[in-house]
């Protein structure tokens, strides 16, 4: 039986909020990672600075969905090893972002946030999502291990 209360515990949600905030500030605002892979600097500036309040909530929820789907699979298969957990999270990210990219290529995601990202960075969006989401996941795992 799957225990969803562990995934949605107050402790884990707070750890997610902290991890998401830390990685967002560190990679996006200090390192300015999107500028390294993006070709449209104005779009990136608009997305992360001008329209920050419009996008931050959606990013927060979408990344949480990726991680929760991965955690459900991890619990379903009863994996405890970090390597297997990361492998499952990677597969979830690649499958979901790859599916979104495929929908974009077939013009089924017109005028959406996803289509704009794919238009400017293409398949590198998968690598970008892997990097950001796995960084959040590693931070969460570290904080969970330190607070038990």
């Amino acid at each position: 039986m799957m225990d969803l209360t562990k995934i949605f515990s107050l402790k884990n949600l707070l750890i997610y909020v902290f991890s998401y905030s830390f990685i967002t500030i560190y990679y996006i605002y200090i390192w300015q990672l999107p500028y390294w892979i993006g070709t449209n600097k104005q779009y990136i500036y608009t997305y992360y600075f001008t329209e920050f309040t419009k996008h931050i909530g959606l990013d927060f929820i979408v990344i949480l969905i990726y991680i929760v789907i991965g955690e459900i699979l991890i619990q379903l298969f009863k994996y405890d090893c970090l390597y297997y957990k990361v492998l499952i999270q990677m597969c979830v990210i690649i499958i979901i972002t790859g599916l979104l990219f495929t929908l974009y290529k077939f013009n089924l995601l017109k005028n959406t946030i996803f289509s704009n990202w794919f238009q400017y960075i293409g398949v590198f969006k998968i690598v970008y999502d892997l990097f950001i989401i796995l960084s959040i996941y590693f931070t969460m795992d570290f904080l969970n291990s330190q607070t038990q």
Side-chain angles (χ1 to χ4, degrees):
M1 179 106 196
M2 195 174 321
D3 182 16
L4 293 179
T5 58
K6 181 181 175 187
I7 295 172
F8 293 109
S9 70
L10 179 60
K11 174 188 156 195
N12 283 338
L13 290 174
L14 290 174
I15 285 174
Y16 173 71
V17 168
F18 177 81
S19 300
Y20 173 83
S21 302
F22 174 75
I23 294 300
T24 298
I25 291 167
Y26 188 68
Y27 286 151
I28 294 170
Y29 295 101
I30 294 174
W31 274 26
Q32 297 187 347
L33 181 66
Y35 289 106
W36 296 1
I37 60 171
T39 57
N40 187 325
K41 307 299 183 199
Q42 183 58 43
Y43 175 75
I44 293 168
Y45 183 82
T46 300
Y47 188 89
Y48 284 115
F49 291 93
T50 308
E51 297 179 356
F52 168 79
T53 56
K54 180 179 173 183
H55 299 290
I56 194 75
L58 179 64
D59 286 350
F60 181 86
I61 291 167
V62 168
I63 292 172
L64 180 62
I65 290 169
Y66 276 85
I67 291 173
V68 166
I69 291 170
E71 282 299 311
I72 289 170
L73 292 172
I74 289 165
Q75 281 193 16
L76 186 67
F77 294 115
K78 297 178 173 56
Y79 287 128
D80 260 347
C81 177
L82 180 62
Y83 299 113
Y84 290 126
K85 290 178 179 182
V86 170
L87 184 62
I88 287 176
Q89 290 291 350
M90 286 176 67
C91 289
V92 166
I93 295 164
I94 290 168
I95 290 168
I96 293 174
T97 306
L99 177 64
L100 291 171
F101 181 71
T102 303
L103 293 173
Y104 164 74
K105 286 306 241 182
F106 286 106
N107 292 320
L108 299 173
L109 285 179
K110 293 181 182 176
N111 300 321
T112 66
I113 292 171
F114 302 112
S115 66
N116 291 336
W117 273 108
F118 288 130
Q119 177 183 354
Y120 297 126
I121 64 174
V123 76
F124 288 110
K125 174 73 167 119
I126 296 171
V127 176
Y128 180 75
D129 283 357
L130 278 168
F131 189 74
I132 295 293
I133 297 170
L134 286 177
S135 294
I136 292 169
Y137 186 76
F138 279 124
T139 305
M140 289 175 63
D141 186 71
F142 172 76
L143 292 174
N144 261 319
S145 71
Q146 299 300 308
T147 58
Q148 290 192 21

